[in-house]
Amino acid sequence: MRTESTIVFSARPELDRPILIEGLPGVGNVGKIAADFLANKLKAEHLATLTSHHLPPQVLVDGDGVAVMPSNEMYYLKDVGTSHLDVIFLIGEFQATTPDGQYIICEDMMKKVFLPYDVSTVFTLGGFGTGQVKEDGRVLGVASDTDMKERLEPYGVTFSPHEPPAGIVGASGILVGLSQQYGIDAACIIGETSGFFVDYRAGMRLIEVLERLLGLELDLSELEAMAKQMDEINSKVMKYASQQRSDNLGYIG
Amino acid sequence: MRTESTIVFSARPELDRPILIEGLPGVGNVGKIAADFLANKLKAEHLATLTSHHLPPQVLVDGDGVAVMPSNEMYYLKDVGTSHLDVIFLIGEFQATTPDGQYIICEDMMKKVFLPYDVSTVFTLGGFGTGQVKEDGRVLGVASDTDMKERLEPYGVTFSPHEPPAGIVGASGILVGLSQQYGIDAACIIGETSGFFVDYRAGMRLIEVLERLLGLELDLSELEAMAKQMDEINSKVMKYASQQRSDNLGYIG
Amino acid sequence: MRTESTIVFSARPELDRPILIEGLPGVGNVGKIAADFLANKLKAEHLATLTSHHLPPQVLVDGDGVAVMPSNEMYYLKDVGTSHLDVIFLIGEFQATTPDGQYIICEDMMKKVFLPYDVSTVFTLGGFGTGQVKEDGRVLGVASDTDMKERLEPYGVTFSPHEPPAGIVGASGILVGLSQQYGIDAACIIGETSGFFVDYRAGMRLIEVLERLLGLELDLSELEAMAKQMDEINSKVMKYASQQRSDNLGYIG
Amino acid sequence: MRTESTIVFSARPELDRPILIEGLPGVGNVGKIAADFLANKLKAEHLATLTSHHLPPQVLVDGDGVAVMPSNEMYYLKDVGTSHLDVIFLIGEFQATTPDGQYIICEDMMKKVFLPYDVSTVFTLGGFGTGQVKEDGRVLGVASDTDMKERLEPYGVTFSPHEPPAGIVGASGILVGLSQQYGIDAACIIGETSGFFVDYRAGMRLIEVLERLLGLELDLSELEAMAKQMDEINSKVMKYASQQRSDNLGYIG
């Protein structure tokens, strides 16, 4: 009688073996930045909304003071770039609150949306927190099989044994694992990030990979501006923290 | 075979598209103070009791030494004030112990009580902990849509973008979100409070909004007395804490 | 297909509206000490075993090095003392690991054992941790209704408004609450204890109440011996702790 | 509709009342070391894979950069050593994330694999963390009954009352408990270990027991090499820690 999750479709477009691009919140919000930007920039259209007992028990408030139920949202695009691929985006503000909730939500979307739409490839986006602030960072991949590796390497994705060492936790991991079980090609594309803050530059590196993959060239200047704003906040925080340390030393001394 | 929640009706009154007023425990117990006061002062009659596996596994003890099972209680009133509205109150000592329990209990009441009674509007009451002790505080609203905002602003409810910043957690949030899904008008009405203690004055500010909404004028002197008692306790705690601090400084010095 | 709990009967005695005496582990193990002692001393016979997903995921090891699955065990006695009451005991080494597990296990036993055996009264035994080491302590009661209070007061049970202030958590509480729902007389009988250690004396005070209730007189010297052994351990711990404190002071000084 | 766990068979060999040897991760990974080594050394063949909502919500990354879904894996061997026993191994990188998940996964494998294959005896392997680094350590047993004790003692397994004192937590415990319920002979065979690091020597002591039991003689030099490597790491850590301690003392002084 009770349905743990509910998926409501707002449109029933015909899609030709679409690829899925997932970017839910995670380490440095790297995957979320990339997927939100693409869906928004390319004016993806709304496909479906998942709400679930396994998302946090609350509402958020939007810019109008209107309540927004936690959800995972699916958008679609047809005939993208020179690849002419159809695309489904999976984005949202939350992932499930419990381990089994993570599996349940991913399986629900797999069975009710991705399998019926005959998704050809699943790309999940994520961040890999290295604990080190660096100018540059790799884009790592974890593939559903070795063919997938060879398919992604030309786009600038590095595959490295046992990296990330702790694996990929959450929807980005499970969707790749489920894809293996259902025989769907899949990969997680992961931007290296310190993990200490929202990392727009790592997000941009993921977008660059997806641009090549989809045959697109996009204006990323908005994200560059966000990254610079973040740099300023960070440098203030750093200055403040180092000031605090010397003050404290003075006090102790 | 097993029912996670049980709702037992003690009366089956005819109600004309009642509004729901929810005031379960939360930040500063602001919503609970307001809803308990109204239900009590207006001599609301008992409608139904929900008990559930998702409430804490215990009993409370009443003033007679008699056990009281954790529950959510529903009361009703007909033809209230100059608004002539019928009202259902949802009150209790506990909310669910787990995230999905929160959803499950709210959906149970929605499906078994609020939808069958054709509730016209859901008002959930809550507190917004600002971390600052202030003389005054706003009554904030989070609406199910922009029409609802316009309906509530004349009663002294302020709508502010992205406030509260963390959204509304628990039954007060979920019931607004579920109302959106079922097409019921809804709003959470939230009293600003420090969040450090049970805040009768913030509760009184919510009652004043509801008085206007229902066309009522009530004697709030009991709550004023409770607020003063709380002030005294707080000032003693403050004095003690500041004494402790200077004692400690002396010790360190 | 899956059964969360399994109840296996080892006997199907005819019992005449038995009372239930529950003594699962809890604060100071007060209830467990009393129920284990009575069931053992009176040579109660095995009735049924509950195993469940909601008990801890492990086995214990007995005195023979043989594995023992976590369970709740039910024993029975016929025609006890001058009361001529039939009795079911509910004892075990564990309670459920989660809040809803607590409800599920108690309801399972209620529906599959206590209701079919037409239990006339449920007595749950517990401890109330006061945080103070005292020579003496009250036996408090929390009743299913005021009649039950009057029935128990003559046996030396004190009923006090809103005591214990936090209510009764776990099986001792839920079984009283469920009894109210099913129309069974019930009370929780609670021994005051410091809550710092296994309290045999508080357990003995509960047994004395049950002796009066059942019309029995038992030799409690074993428990007295255990209590004395505990006293010695405690006094050693105290001496050691106070020694440590003065050593530390010396070190700091 | 939803299946919490999925077991997929890759082979359907005929096995003659096989014994089960379980070695999932646990204290010091003692059981895992022994079971992985045996399955690998004896070239056991793949039987079945369990994936489940109750395993961690993630994927691991293998040496090719390919995703690996968390799973419990079953392998089989026929006619092993001079015992001529058929064997099923249960190994994997994870156990369930929750208490009831532990029961659910073990029962699933029991009902869908071990009972249909008419498993004659269940041997679960584990570690018992004593908190003390010792040259030597016992191999302790916890049996399903006293016959099982007598069967295992000749192979060098010690049975000691109430040891391990906290029982056996996780799959190694539950599988023995479930075996008792289903009337299958079972024992947990446990290597004493400090519990501070991955203990290859404790694993080797378990393997020696299983060699005798299966009538085998294996070359353990790989494990001896791993143990020595571990010794070196430990001695470096020790040296570093003791250096840190004296540095700190210097600083305080």
Side-chain angles (χ1 to χ4, degrees):
Chain A
M1 182 190 87
R2 174 165 304 118
T3 53
E4 290 178 346
S5 302
T6 307
I7 294 176
V8 177
F9 283 85
S10 62
R12 291 284 191 179
E14 287 206 14
L15 300 174
D16 180 20
R17 302 221 63 211
I19 66 166
L20 175 74
I21 296 178
E22 174 272 340
L24 292 167
V27 178
N29 266 357
V30 176
K32 176 170 167 47
I33 288 167
D36 283 357
F37 178 83
L38 284 175
N40 192 45
K41 196 76 175 181
L42 300 172
K43 298 193 192 339
E45 292 188 66
H46 194 261
L47 177 67
T49 295
L50 169 138
T51 51
S52 172
H53 291 174
H54 300 289
L55 293 172
Q58 61 173 102
V59 290
L60 293 175
V61 187
D62 74 9
D64 287 325
V66 168
V68 183
M69 193 82 157
S71 67
N72 283 191
E73 300 290 341
M74 284 152 273
Y75 288 84
Y76 72 96
L77 277 173
K78 298 180 73 146
D79 193 29
V80 177
T82 59
S83 72
H84 302 292
L85 285 165
D86 290 358
V87 181
I88 296 174
F89 290 98
L90 168 58
I91 58 185
E93 301 302 318
F94 293 106
Q95 295 204 22
T97 57
T98 58
D100 61 331
Q102 291 267 20
Y103 277 103
I104 291 168
I105 284 182
C106 287
E107 280 192 5
D108 274 343
M109 293 189 293
M110 187 59 91
K111 286 179 183 161
K112 293 182 190 158
V113 185
F114 311 148
L115 290 177
Y117 266 110
D118 200 11
V119 159
S120 62
T121 316
V122 167
F123 292 115
T124 67
L125 308 181
F128 166 26
T130 60
Q132 294 179 306
V133 182
K134 292 198 300 187
E135 280 299 291
D136 218 11
R138 293 175 298 170
V139 173
L140 275 175
V142 176
S144 57
D145 57 25
T146 48
D147 283 359
M148 193 41 148
K149 269 171 70 174
E150 285 158 30
R151 190 168 144 202
L152 280 178
E153 279 169 338
Y155 299 118
V157 181
T158 301
F159 290 81
S160 174
H162 304 294
E163 269 199 303
I168 305 158
V169 177
S172 290
I174 296 173
L175 284 173
V176 172
L178 289 178
S179 295
Q180 288 178 320
Q181 295 187 342
Y182 288 108
I184 301 171
D185 292 337
C188 185
I189 307 175
I190 313 159
E192 276 192 334
T193 173
S194 68
F196 299 149
F197 45 85
V198 175
D199 191 341
Y200 290 94
R201 290 221 173 75
M204 287 160 77
R205 284 193 282 273
L206 293 194
I207 292 168
E208 284 159 9
V209 167
L210 293 166
E211 282 179 322
R212 285 171 220 135
L213 202 145
L214 293 167
L216 279 176
E217 211 155 315
L218 297 168
D219 174 10
L220 305 187
S221 54
E222 294 163 49
L223 289 174
E224 185 55 44
M226 297 293 280
K228 281 197 177 127
Q229 215 174 308
M230 209 68 197
D231 289 346
E232 280 167 39
I233 293 169
N234 282 328
S235 83
K236 274 183 202 155
V237 169
M238 295 298 212
K239 211 175 278 174
Y240 179 78
S242 102
Q243 183 61 32
Q244 288 289 308
R245 265 200 301 276
S246 59
D247 283 5
N248 284 341
L249 284 170
Y251 179 76
I252 290 168
Chain B
M1 182 191 89
R2 175 166 304 119
T3 53
E4 291 177 346
S5 301
T6 307
I7 295 175
V8 177
F9 283 85
S10 61
R12 291 285 191 177
E14 286 206 15
L15 300 174
D16 180 19
R17 303 221 62 213
I19 66 167
L20 175 74
I21 296 177
E22 173 273 341
L24 292 167
V27 179
N29 266 356
V30 176
K32 177 170 166 49
I33 288 167
D36 283 358
F37 179 83
L38 284 174
N40 193 45
K41 196 75 173 181
L42 299 172
K43 299 192 191 342
E45 292 188 66
H46 194 261
L47 178 67
T49 295
L50 170 139
T51 52
S52 173
H53 291 174
H54 300 289
L55 293 172
Q58 62 172 101
V59 290
L60 293 175
V61 187
D62 75 9
D64 287 326
V66 169
V68 182
M69 193 83 158
S71 67
N72 283 192
E73 299 290 339
M74 285 152 273
Y75 289 83
Y76 73 97
L77 277 173
K78 298 180 72 145
D79 193 28
V80 177
T82 60
S83 72
H84 301 292
L85 286 165
D86 289 359
V87 180
I88 296 174
F89 290 98
L90 168 58
I91 59 185
E93 301 301 318
F94 292 106
Q95 295 204 21
T97 56
T98 58
D100 62 330
Q102 290 267 20
Y103 276 102
I104 291 169
I105 285 182
C106 287
E107 280 192 4
D108 275 343
M109 294 189 291
M110 187 59 90
K111 286 179 183 160
K112 293 183 189 156
V113 186
F114 310 148
L115 290 177
Y117 266 111
D118 198 12
V119 159
S120 61
T121 316
V122 167
F123 293 116
T124 67
L125 308 182
F128 166 25
T130 61
Q132 294 179 306
V133 182
K134 291 197 301 186
E135 279 299 290
D136 218 10
R138 292 176 297 171
V139 173
L140 275 175
V142 176
S144 57
D145 56 26
T146 48
D147 283 359
M148 193 41 148
K149 268 171 71 175
E150 284 159 30
R151 191 169 142 200
L152 280 178
E153 279 169 338
Y155 299 118
V157 181
T158 301
F159 290 81
S160 174
H162 304 295
E163 271 200 303
I168 306 157
V169 177
S172 290
I174 295 173
L175 284 173
V176 171
L178 288 179
S179 295
Q180 288 178 319
Q181 295 186 341
Y182 289 108
I184 302 171
D185 292 337
C188 184
I189 306 176
I190 313 158
E192 275 190 336
T193 172
S194 69
F196 299 150
F197 46 84
V198 176
D199 191 342
Y200 291 94
R201 290 221 173 74
M204 288 161 76
R205 284 193 282 273
L206 293 193
I207 293 168
E208 284 159 9
V209 167
L210 293 167
E211 282 179 323
R212 286 173 217 133
L213 203 145
L214 295 167
L216 279 176
E217 214 157 311
L218 298 168
D219 174 10
L220 306 186
S221 54
E222 294 164 48
L223 289 174
E224 185 56 42
M226 297 294 279
K228 281 196 178 128
Q229 216 173 306
M230 209 67 196
D231 289 345
E232 280 167 40
I233 293 169
N234 283 327
S235 82
K236 273 182 203 156
V237 169
M238 295 297 210
K239 213 174 277 174
Y240 179 78
S242 101
Q243 182 62 33
Q244 288 289 307
R245 265 200 299 276
S246 60
D247 283 6
N248 285 342
L249 284 170
Y251 178 75
I252 289 169
Chain C
M1 183 190 92
R2 175 165 304 119
T3 53
E4 292 178 345
S5 301
T6 307
I7 295 175
V8 177
F9 283 86
S10 61
R12 291 284 192 179
E14 286 205 15
L15 300 175
D16 179 19
R17 302 221 62 212
I19 66 167
L20 174 75
I21 296 176
E22 173 272 341
L24 292 167
V27 179
N29 266 358
V30 176
K32 176 170 166 49
I33 288 167
D36 282 358
F37 178 83
L38 284 174
N40 192 45
K41 196 77 175 179
L42 299 171
K43 299 193 190 345
E45 293 189 66
H46 194 261
L47 177 66
T49 295
L50 169 138
T51 51
S52 173
H53 292 174
H54 301 289
L55 293 172
Q58 63 172 100
V59 290
L60 293 175
V61 187
D62 75 9
D64 288 326
V66 169
V68 183
M69 192 81 155
S71 67
N72 283 190
E73 300 290 340
M74 285 152 273
Y75 288 83
Y76 72 95
L77 276 173
K78 298 179 74 145
D79 193 29
V80 177
T82 60
S83 72
H84 301 293
L85 284 165
D86 289 359
V87 180
I88 296 174
F89 290 97
L90 167 58
I91 60 185
E93 300 303 318
F94 293 106
Q95 295 204 20
T97 57
T98 57
D100 61 331
Q102 291 267 18
Y103 277 102
I104 290 169
I105 285 182
C106 287
E107 280 191 7
D108 274 343
M109 293 189 292
M110 186 60 89
K111 286 179 183 161
K112 294 183 188 155
V113 185
F114 310 148
L115 290 177
Y117 266 110
D118 199 12
V119 160
S120 62
T121 317
V122 166
F123 293 115
T124 66
L125 308 181
F128 166 26
T130 60
Q132 293 179 306
V133 181
K134 292 198 300 188
E135 279 299 289
D136 218 9
R138 293 175 298 170
V139 173
L140 276 174
V142 176
S144 57
D145 57 24
T146 48
D147 283 0
M148 193 39 148
K149 268 171 70 174
E150 283 159 31
R151 190 169 144 202
L152 279 179
E153 279 169 338
Y155 298 120
V157 181
T158 302
F159 290 81
S160 174
H162 305 294
E163 269 200 305
I168 306 157
V169 177
S172 290
I174 295 173
L175 284 173
V176 171
L178 288 179
S179 296
Q180 289 178 318
Q181 294 187 342
Y182 288 108
I184 301 171
D185 292 337
C188 183
I189 307 176
I190 313 158
E192 276 190 334
T193 172
S194 69
F196 299 149
F197 46 84
V198 175
D199 191 343
Y200 290 93
R201 291 221 173 75
M204 288 161 77
R205 284 193 282 273
L206 292 193
I207 293 168
E208 285 158 9
V209 167
L210 293 166
E211 283 179 323
R212 287 172 217 133
L213 202 145
L214 294 167
L216 279 176
E217 214 157 312
L218 298 167
D219 174 10
L220 306 186
S221 54
E222 294 163 49
L223 289 174
E224 186 55 42
M226 297 294 278
K228 282 198 177 126
Q229 216 174 310
M230 208 69 196
D231 289 346
E232 279 167 41
I233 293 170
N234 283 327
S235 82
K236 273 183 204 156
V237 169
M238 295 297 210
K239 212 174 278 174
Y240 179 77
S242 101
Q243 183 60 34
Q244 288 289 307
R245 266 198 299 278
S246 60
D247 283 5
N248 284 341
L249 284 170
Y251 179 74
I252 288 170
Chain D
M1 184 190 88
R2 174 165 306 119
T3 52
E4 291 177 346
S5 302
T6 307
I7 294 175
V8 177
F9 283 85
S10 60
R12 292 285 192 178
E14 286 206 15
L15 300 175
D16 179 19
R17 302 221 63 212
I19 66 166
L20 175 73
I21 296 178
E22 173 273 341
L24 292 167
V27 179
N29 265 357
V30 176
K32 177 170 165 50
I33 287 166
D36 283 357
F37 178 83
L38 284 174
N40 192 45
K41 197 77 176 180
L42 299 171
K43 300 193 191 341
E45 292 188 64
H46 194 261
L47 178 66
T49 295
L50 169 138
T51 52
S52 172
H53 292 175
H54 301 289
L55 293 172
Q58 62 173 100
V59 290
L60 293 175
V61 186
D62 74 9
D64 287 325
V66 169
V68 182
M69 193 82 157
S71 67
N72 282 191
E73 300 290 340
M74 283 152 274
Y75 288 83
Y76 72 96
L77 277 172
K78 298 179 74 146
D79 192 29
V80 178
T82 60
S83 72
H84 301 292
L85 285 165
D86 289 359
V87 180
I88 296 174
F89 290 98
L90 167 58
I91 59 186
E93 300 302 318
F94 293 106
Q95 295 205 21
T97 57
T98 58
D100 61 331
Q102 291 267 20
Y103 277 102
I104 290 168
I105 284 182
C106 288
E107 281 193 5
D108 274 343
M109 293 188 293
M110 187 60 90
K111 286 180 183 161
K112 294 183 188 156
V113 185
F114 310 148
L115 291 177
Y117 266 110
D118 200 12
V119 160
S120 62
T121 317
V122 167
F123 293 114
T124 67
L125 307 182
F128 166 27
T130 60
Q132 293 179 306
V133 182
K134 292 197 300 186
E135 280 299 290
D136 218 10
R138 293 175 297 171
V139 173
L140 275 175
V142 176
S144 58
D145 56 25
T146 48
D147 283 0
M148 193 40 147
K149 268 170 69 174
E150 283 159 31
R151 190 168 144 202
L152 280 178
E153 280 168 338
Y155 299 118
V157 181
T158 302
F159 290 81
S160 173
H162 305 294
E163 270 199 304
I168 306 157
V169 177
S172 290
I174 295 174
L175 284 172
V176 172
L178 288 178
S179 295
Q180 288 177 318
Q181 294 187 343
Y182 288 108
I184 301 171
D185 291 338
C188 184
I189 306 176
I190 313 158
E192 276 191 334
T193 173
S194 68
F196 300 149
F197 46 84
V198 175
D199 192 341
Y200 290 93
R201 291 224 171 73
M204 287 161 78
R205 284 192 282 272
L206 293 194
I207 292 167
E208 285 159 9
V209 167
L210 293 167
E211 283 179 323
R212 286 172 219 133
L213 203 143
L214 294 167
L216 281 175
E217 212 156 314
L218 298 168
D219 174 9
L220 305 187
S221 53
E222 295 163 48
L223 289 174
E224 186 55 43
M226 297 293 278
K228 282 198 176 125
Q229 215 173 311
M230 208 67 197
D231 289 346
E232 281 167 38
I233 293 169
N234 283 328
S235 83
K236 274 182 203 156
V237 169
M238 296 297 212
K239 213 175 278 174
Y240 179 77
S242 101
Q243 182 61 32
Q244 287 289 307
R245 264 200 300 278
S246 59
D247 284 4
N248 284 342
L249 283 170
Y251 179 75
I252 289 169

